[in-house]
Amino acid sequence: AQSVTQPDIHITVSEGASLELRCNYSYGATPYLFWYVQSPGQGLQLLLKYFSGDTLVQGIKGFEAEFKRSQSSFNLRKPSVHWSDAAEYFCAVGAFTGGGNKLTFGTGTQLKVEL
Amino acid sequence: DTAVSQTPKYLVTQMGNDKSIKCEQNLGHDTMYWYKQDSKKFLKIMFSYNNKELIINETVPNRFSPKSPDKAHLNLHINSLELGDSAVYFCASSLATGELFFGEGSRLTVL
């Protein structure tokens, strides 16, 4: 069964500083990996996804993530954080089954941005 | 134009009642899902339907009954509500091999 670990429950960074959120996955085959962001009281918005190909993927809002098979990781990065990036971030691994994509989520990392 | 819309957004009810949450998507996707987010923000899949057929059914109490009248709608009916059912329920949709698009969630509070 697939699983996702996000080791950092909370992270605080200063506005303008760089950011890296960690994600490790467990999956028996080629993983399909996702990062979603959830602002307070909102639904989840897709930041980026990895299906195959280039291991460095670009997403919306200036985010990128790198798939490292040897480390079973898919860490999210941003070179310069904005105050509006404060939110909950979820990493997920997908399994395509029977016509659907069963996403297994990590427990999330709450990002706070200090002005 | 909301891609995945859920109603109601907030629901407060007494233990033992029956309630429904409705979901509609206008993305033309074949697959729809219900996820539950608990108080610690952990997200777990409950059900998934592809073209009105149930394809994923996690270990959810049978008090929860999804219904998909067509591929654009997936409703969730909950019987005999319990305190532990309090959560935010998210509807989502996707193509068969694509990313999920989520609604804004329905916060259910059982008193």
Side-chain angles (χ1 to χ4, degrees), chain B residues 15-44:
Chain B
M15 269 198 312
N17 284 351
D18 303 337
K19 289 294 176 187
S20 292
I21 306 172
K22 295 185 176 182
C23 179
E24 176 181 5
Q25 56 95 4
N26 63 6
L27 297 168
H29 290 161
D30 292 329
T31 309
M32 296 185 72
Y33 311 78
W34 279 109
Y35 275 79
K36 179 180 180 180
Q37 186 174 47
D38 63 21
S39 59
K40 294 184 178 178
K41 298 203 173 176
F42 183 63
L43 281 150
K44 187 166 167 49

mmCIF file of all heavy atoms in Angstrom, chain B residues 15-44:
data_model
loop_
_atom_site.group_PDB
_atom_site.id
_atom_site.type_symbol
_atom_site.label_atom_id
_atom_site.label_comp_id
_atom_site.label_asym_id
_atom_site.label_seq_id
_atom_site.Cartn_x
_atom_site.Cartn_y
_atom_site.Cartn_z
ATOM 1 N N MET B 15 -26.928 14.592 16.673
ATOM 2 C CA MET B 15 -26.660 13.152 16.579
ATOM 3 C C MET B 15 -27.922 12.411 16.220
ATOM 4 O O MET B 15 -29.014 12.749 16.705
ATOM 5 C CB MET B 15 -26.149 12.643 17.941
ATOM 6 C CG MET B 15 -24.669 12.672 18.107
ATOM 7 S SD MET B 15 -24.101 11.613 19.468
ATOM 8 C CE MET B 15 -25.187 12.099 20.770
ATOM 9 N N GLY B 16 -27.779 11.404 15.380
ATOM 10 C CA GLY B 16 -28.903 10.559 15.023
ATOM 11 C C GLY B 16 -29.648 11.016 13.778
ATOM 12 O O GLY B 16 -30.429 10.252 13.205
ATOM 13 N N ASN B 17 -29.415 12.274 13.382
ATOM 14 C CA ASN B 17 -30.086 12.772 12.163
ATOM 15 C C ASN B 17 -29.457 12.191 10.906
ATOM 16 O O ASN B 17 -28.367 11.617 10.932
ATOM 17 C CB ASN B 17 -30.006 14.299 12.119
ATOM 18 C CG ASN B 17 -30.985 14.955 13.068
ATOM 19 O OD1 ASN B 17 -31.850 14.294 13.646
ATOM 20 N ND2 ASN B 17 -30.835 16.255 13.259
ATOM 21 N N ASP B 18 -30.184 12.377 9.796
ATOM 22 C CA ASP B 18 -29.693 11.985 8.478
ATOM 23 C C ASP B 18 -29.468 13.263 7.670
ATOM 24 O O ASP B 18 -30.323 14.159 7.691
ATOM 25 C CB ASP B 18 -30.713 11.126 7.735
ATOM 26 C CG ASP B 18 -31.109 9.882 8.507
ATOM 27 O OD1 ASP B 18 -30.324 9.443 9.368
ATOM 28 O OD2 ASP B 18 -32.197 9.346 8.239
ATOM 29 N N LYS B 19 -28.354 13.325 6.949
ATOM 30 C CA LYS B 19 -28.077 14.507 6.148
ATOM 31 C C LYS B 19 -27.425 14.120 4.820
ATOM 32 O O LYS B 19 -26.827 13.039 4.693
ATOM 33 C CB LYS B 19 -27.120 15.461 6.882
ATOM 34 C CG LYS B 19 -27.746 16.163 8.077
ATOM 35 C CD LYS B 19 -28.840 17.113 7.631
ATOM 36 C CE LYS B 19 -29.521 17.746 8.839
ATOM 37 N NZ LYS B 19 -30.712 18.551 8.443
ATOM 38 N N SER B 20 -27.526 15.030 3.856
ATOM 39 C CA SER B 20 -26.912 14.808 2.549
ATOM 40 C C SER B 20 -26.063 15.996 2.149
ATOM 41 O O SER B 20 -26.365 17.139 2.497
ATOM 42 C CB SER B 20 -27.990 14.605 1.487
ATOM 43 O OG SER B 20 -28.669 13.395 1.694
ATOM 44 N N ILE B 21 -25.010 15.704 1.408
ATOM 45 C CA ILE B 21 -24.165 16.729 0.794
ATOM 46 C C ILE B 21 -24.162 16.451 -0.707
ATOM 47 O O ILE B 21 -24.003 15.300 -1.131
ATOM 48 C CB ILE B 21 -22.718 16.672 1.322
ATOM 49 C CG1 ILE B 21 -22.701 16.738 2.852
ATOM 50 C CG2 ILE B 21 -21.909 17.823 0.744
ATOM 51 C CD1 ILE B 21 -21.325 16.481 3.450
ATOM 52 N N LYS B 22 -24.339 17.530 -1.467
ATOM 53 C CA LYS B 22 -24.405 17.363 -2.911
ATOM 54 C C LYS B 22 -23.142 17.895 -3.571
ATOM 55 O O LYS B 22 -22.516 18.835 -3.070
ATOM 56 C CB LYS B 22 -25.620 18.100 -3.475
ATOM 57 C CG LYS B 22 -26.934 17.528 -3.002
ATOM 58 C CD LYS B 22 -28.104 18.204 -3.682
ATOM 59 C CE LYS B 22 -29.416 17.543 -3.273
ATOM 60 N NZ LYS B 22 -30.574 18.160 -3.953
ATOM 61 N N CYS B 23 -22.778 17.291 -4.691
ATOM 62 C CA CYS B 23 -21.588 17.716 -5.423
ATOM 63 C C CYS B 23 -21.853 17.649 -6.919
ATOM 64 O O CYS B 23 -22.446 16.675 -7.423
ATOM 65 C CB CYS B 23 -20.397 16.829 -5.069
ATOM 66 S SG CYS B 23 -18.887 17.272 -5.964
ATOM 67 N N GLU B 24 -21.384 18.688 -7.601
ATOM 68 C CA GLU B 24 -21.531 18.753 -9.055
ATOM 69 C C GLU B 24 -20.228 19.242 -9.657
ATOM 70 O O GLU B 24 -19.581 20.134 -9.107
ATOM 71 C CB GLU B 24 -22.668 19.716 -9.414
ATOM 72 C CG GLU B 24 -22.843 19.932 -10.899
ATOM 73 C CD GLU B 24 -23.956 20.920 -11.225
ATOM 74 O OE1 GLU B 24 -24.534 21.504 -10.294
ATOM 75 O OE2 GLU B 24 -24.256 21.080 -12.427
ATOM 76 N N GLN B 25 -19.844 18.669 -10.787
ATOM 77 C CA GLN B 25 -18.657 19.161 -11.493
ATOM 78 C C GLN B 25 -19.013 19.442 -12.946
ATOM 79 O O GLN B 25 -19.780 18.705 -13.565
ATOM 80 C CB GLN B 25 -17.494 18.162 -11.376
ATOM 81 C CG GLN B 25 -17.774 16.756 -11.853
ATOM 82 C CD GLN B 25 -17.361 16.454 -13.277
ATOM 83 O OE1 GLN B 25 -16.760 17.302 -13.965
ATOM 84 N NE2 GLN B 25 -17.655 15.240 -13.744
ATOM 85 N N ASN B 26 -18.430 20.538 -13.460
ATOM 86 C CA ASN B 26 -18.696 20.937 -14.844
ATOM 87 C C ASN B 26 -17.440 20.831 -15.700
ATOM 88 O O ASN B 26 -17.297 21.559 -16.687
ATOM 89 C CB ASN B 26 -19.290 22.345 -14.883
ATOM 90 C CG ASN B 26 -18.340 23.397 -14.339
ATOM 91 O OD1 ASN B 26 -17.188 23.111 -14.032
ATOM 92 N ND2 ASN B 26 -18.810 24.616 -14.206
ATOM 93 N N LEU B 27 -16.524 19.945 -15.297
ATOM 94 C CA LEU B 27 -15.256 19.786 -16.000
ATOM 95 C C LEU B 27 -15.299 18.690 -17.051
ATOM 96 O O LEU B 27 -14.309 18.475 -17.751
ATOM 97 C CB LEU B 27 -14.145 19.477 -14.987
ATOM 98 C CG LEU B 27 -13.881 20.599 -13.982
ATOM 99 C CD1 LEU B 27 -12.982 20.111 -12.848
ATOM 100 C CD2 LEU B 27 -13.261 21.792 -14.668
ATOM 101 N N GLY B 28 -16.407 17.966 -17.114
ATOM 102 C CA GLY B 28 -16.496 16.869 -18.069
ATOM 103 C C GLY B 28 -15.699 15.641 -17.661
ATOM 104 O O GLY B 28 -15.420 14.774 -18.485
ATOM 105 N N HIS B 29 -15.344 15.558 -16.374
ATOM 106 C CA HIS B 29 -14.575 14.408 -15.888
ATOM 107 C C HIS B 29 -15.469 13.182 -15.734
ATOM 108 O O HIS B 29 -16.675 13.274 -15.526
ATOM 109 C CB HIS B 29 -13.930 14.742 -14.544
ATOM 110 C CG HIS B 29 -12.833 15.746 -14.646
ATOM 111 N ND1 HIS B 29 -12.381 16.473 -13.553
ATOM 112 C CD2 HIS B 29 -12.079 16.148 -15.694
ATOM 113 C CE1 HIS B 29 -11.399 17.262 -13.942
ATOM 114 N NE2 HIS B 29 -11.205 17.088 -15.241
ATOM 115 N N ASP B 30 -14.805 12.011 -15.823
ATOM 116 C CA ASP B 30 -15.541 10.762 -15.689
ATOM 117 C C ASP B 30 -15.574 10.250 -14.255
ATOM 118 O O ASP B 30 -16.394 9.404 -13.922
ATOM 119 C CB ASP B 30 -14.882 9.661 -16.544
ATOM 120 C CG ASP B 30 -15.019 9.940 -18.025
ATOM 121 O OD1 ASP B 30 -16.028 10.552 -18.419
ATOM 122 O OD2 ASP B 30 -14.119 9.547 -18.783
ATOM 123 N N THR B 31 -14.658 10.726 -13.434
ATOM 124 C CA THR B 31 -14.484 10.148 -12.107
ATOM 125 C C THR B 31 -14.679 11.206 -11.035
ATOM 126 O O THR B 31 -14.186 12.328 -11.157
ATOM 127 C CB THR B 31 -13.078 9.526 -11.976
ATOM 128 O OG1 THR B 31 -12.855 8.647 -13.077
ATOM 129 C CG2 THR B 31 -12.959 8.728 -10.683
ATOM 130 N N MET B 32 -15.406 10.826 -9.999
ATOM 131 C CA MET B 32 -15.649 11.730 -8.863
ATOM 132 C C MET B 32 -15.338 11.007 -7.563
ATOM 133 O O MET B 32 -15.373 9.769 -7.497
ATOM 134 C CB MET B 32 -17.083 12.242 -8.885
ATOM 135 C CG MET B 32 -17.386 13.103 -10.108
ATOM 136 S SD MET B 32 -19.034 13.831 -10.098
ATOM 137 C CE MET B 32 -18.853 15.084 -8.805
ATOM 138 N N TYR B 33 -15.051 11.799 -6.525
ATOM 139 C CA TYR B 33 -14.557 11.247 -5.266
ATOM 140 C C TYR B 33 -15.180 11.987 -4.081
ATOM 141 O O TYR B 33 -15.562 13.148 -4.194
ATOM 142 C CB TYR B 33 -13.040 11.441 -5.136
ATOM 143 C CG TYR B 33 -12.227 11.029 -6.328
ATOM 144 C CD1 TYR B 33 -12.149 11.837 -7.459
ATOM 145 C CD2 TYR B 33 -11.501 9.845 -6.321
ATOM 146 C CE1 TYR B 33 -11.390 11.477 -8.555
ATOM 147 C CE2 TYR B 33 -10.723 9.471 -7.414
ATOM 148 C CZ TYR B 33 -10.685 10.295 -8.524
ATOM 149 O OH TYR B 33 -9.917 9.916 -9.611
ATOM 150 N N TRP B 34 -15.199 11.305 -2.948
ATOM 151 C CA TRP B 34 -15.425 11.949 -1.662
ATOM 152 C C TRP B 34 -14.224 11.658 -0.774
ATOM 153 O O TRP B 34 -13.797 10.501 -0.635
ATOM 154 C CB TRP B 34 -16.699 11.436 -0.983
ATOM 155 C CG TRP B 34 -17.943 12.063 -1.495
ATOM 156 C CD1 TRP B 34 -18.903 11.494 -2.268
ATOM 157 C CD2 TRP B 34 -18.364 13.421 -1.270
ATOM 158 N NE1 TRP B 34 -19.897 12.396 -2.546
ATOM 159 C CE2 TRP B 34 -19.584 13.602 -1.954
ATOM 160 C CE3 TRP B 34 -17.831 14.503 -0.565
ATOM 161 C CZ2 TRP B 34 -20.293 14.798 -1.947
ATOM 162 C CZ3 TRP B 34 -18.525 15.700 -0.563
ATOM 163 C CH2 TRP B 34 -19.743 15.835 -1.254
ATOM 164 N N TYR B 35 -13.705 12.747 -0.173
ATOM 165 C CA TYR B 35 -12.631 12.654 0.802
ATOM 166 C C TYR B 35 -13.122 13.246 2.119
ATOM 167 O O TYR B 35 -13.929 14.176 2.125
ATOM 168 C CB TYR B 35 -11.405 13.451 0.356
ATOM 169 C CG TYR B 35 -10.481 12.694 -0.562
ATOM 170 C CD1 TYR B 35 -10.779 12.547 -1.909
ATOM 171 C CD2 TYR B 35 -9.313 12.123 -0.085
ATOM 172 C CE1 TYR B 35 -9.942 11.840 -2.751
ATOM 173 C CE2 TYR B 35 -8.458 11.416 -0.914
ATOM 174 C CZ TYR B 35 -8.780 11.278 -2.248
ATOM 175 O OH TYR B 35 -7.941 10.581 -3.073
ATOM 176 N N LYS B 36 -12.597 12.717 3.219
ATOM 177 C CA LYS B 36 -12.911 13.251 4.540
ATOM 178 C C LYS B 36 -11.644 13.849 5.124
ATOM 179 O O LYS B 36 -10.592 13.207 5.116
ATOM 180 C CB LYS B 36 -13.424 12.128 5.452
ATOM 181 C CG LYS B 36 -13.753 12.576 6.874
ATOM 182 C CD LYS B 36 -14.251 11.408 7.711
ATOM 183 C CE LYS B 36 -14.582 11.830 9.128
ATOM 184 N NZ LYS B 36 -15.065 10.695 9.969
ATOM 185 N N GLN B 37 -11.740 15.086 5.652
ATOM 186 C CA GLN B 37 -10.626 15.722 6.338
ATOM 187 C C GLN B 37 -10.991 15.890 7.799
ATOM 188 O O GLN B 37 -11.929 16.606 8.131
ATOM 189 C CB GLN B 37 -10.281 17.076 5.715
ATOM 190 C CG GLN B 37 -9.024 17.706 6.322
ATOM 191 C CD GLN B 37 -8.607 18.973 5.609
ATOM 192 O OE1 GLN B 37 -9.417 19.849 5.342
ATOM 193 N NE2 GLN B 37 -7.320 19.086 5.289
ATOM 194 N N ASP B 38 -10.227 15.242 8.661
ATOM 195 C CA ASP B 38 -10.570 15.285 10.088
ATOM 196 C C ASP B 38 -10.015 16.544 10.750
ATOM 197 O O ASP B 38 -9.451 17.418 10.088
ATOM 198 C CB ASP B 38 -10.077 14.002 10.787
ATOM 199 C CG ASP B 38 -8.562 13.852 10.758
ATOM 200 O OD1 ASP B 38 -7.848 14.867 10.574
ATOM 201 O OD2 ASP B 38 -8.084 12.715 10.926
ATOM 202 N N SER B 39 -10.189 16.614 12.044
ATOM 203 C CA SER B 39 -9.816 17.826 12.788
ATOM 204 C C SER B 39 -8.307 18.082 12.761
ATOM 205 O O SER B 39 -7.862 19.199 12.985
ATOM 206 C CB SER B 39 -10.297 17.736 14.234
ATOM 207 O OG SER B 39 -9.727 16.599 14.850
ATOM 208 N N LYS B 40 -7.522 17.040 12.475
ATOM 209 C CA LYS B 40 -6.070 17.220 12.363
ATOM 210 C C LYS B 40 -5.650 17.458 10.918
ATOM 211 O O LYS B 40 -4.473 17.385 10.579
ATOM 212 C CB LYS B 40 -5.352 15.991 12.927
ATOM 213 C CG LYS B 40 -5.568 15.825 14.416
ATOM 214 C CD LYS B 40 -4.775 14.675 14.987
ATOM 215 C CE LYS B 40 -5.002 14.578 16.493
ATOM 216 N NZ LYS B 40 -4.276 13.436 17.095
ATOM 217 N N LYS B 41 -6.643 17.688 10.073
ATOM 218 C CA LYS B 41 -6.444 18.011 8.651
ATOM 219 C C LYS B 41 -5.971 16.816 7.839
ATOM 220 O O LYS B 41 -5.495 16.997 6.720
ATOM 221 C CB LYS B 41 -5.485 19.198 8.463
ATOM 222 C CG LYS B 41 -6.018 20.473 9.085
ATOM 223 C CD LYS B 41 -5.428 21.714 8.482
ATOM 224 C CE LYS B 41 -6.124 22.936 9.021
ATOM 225 N NZ LYS B 41 -5.549 24.169 8.546
ATOM 226 N N PHE B 42 -6.112 15.596 8.390
ATOM 227 C CA PHE B 42 -5.727 14.429 7.620
ATOM 228 C C PHE B 42 -6.810 14.115 6.599
ATOM 229 O O PHE B 42 -7.994 14.053 6.933
ATOM 230 C CB PHE B 42 -5.495 13.229 8.538
ATOM 231 C CG PHE B 42 -5.034 12.012 7.814
ATOM 232 C CD1 PHE B 42 -3.826 11.999 7.139
ATOM 233 C CD2 PHE B 42 -5.816 10.873 7.779
ATOM 234 C CE1 PHE B 42 -3.394 10.876 6.453
ATOM 235 C CE2 PHE B 42 -5.398 9.745 7.092
ATOM 236 C CZ PHE B 42 -4.189 9.747 6.427
ATOM 237 N N LEU B 43 -6.406 13.901 5.348
ATOM 238 C CA LEU B 43 -7.331 13.645 4.245
ATOM 239 C C LEU B 43 -7.323 12.168 3.902
ATOM 240 O O LEU B 43 -6.268 11.580 3.662
ATOM 241 C CB LEU B 43 -6.897 14.420 3.009
ATOM 242 C CG LEU B 43 -7.239 15.887 2.984
ATOM 243 C CD1 LEU B 43 -6.211 16.644 2.182
ATOM 244 C CD2 LEU B 43 -8.625 16.100 2.399
ATOM 245 N N LYS B 44 -8.528 11.595 3.825
ATOM 246 C CA LYS B 44 -8.613 10.176 3.491
ATOM 247 C C LYS B 44 -9.742 9.950 2.505
ATOM 248 O O LYS B 44 -10.833 10.484 2.660
ATOM 249 C CB LYS B 44 -8.867 9.357 4.757
ATOM 250 C CG LYS B 44 -8.798 7.856 4.524
ATOM 251 C CD LYS B 44 -8.702 7.103 5.824
ATOM 252 C CE LYS B 44 -8.952 5.612 5.645
ATOM 253 N NZ LYS B 44 -8.160 5.033 4.555
#
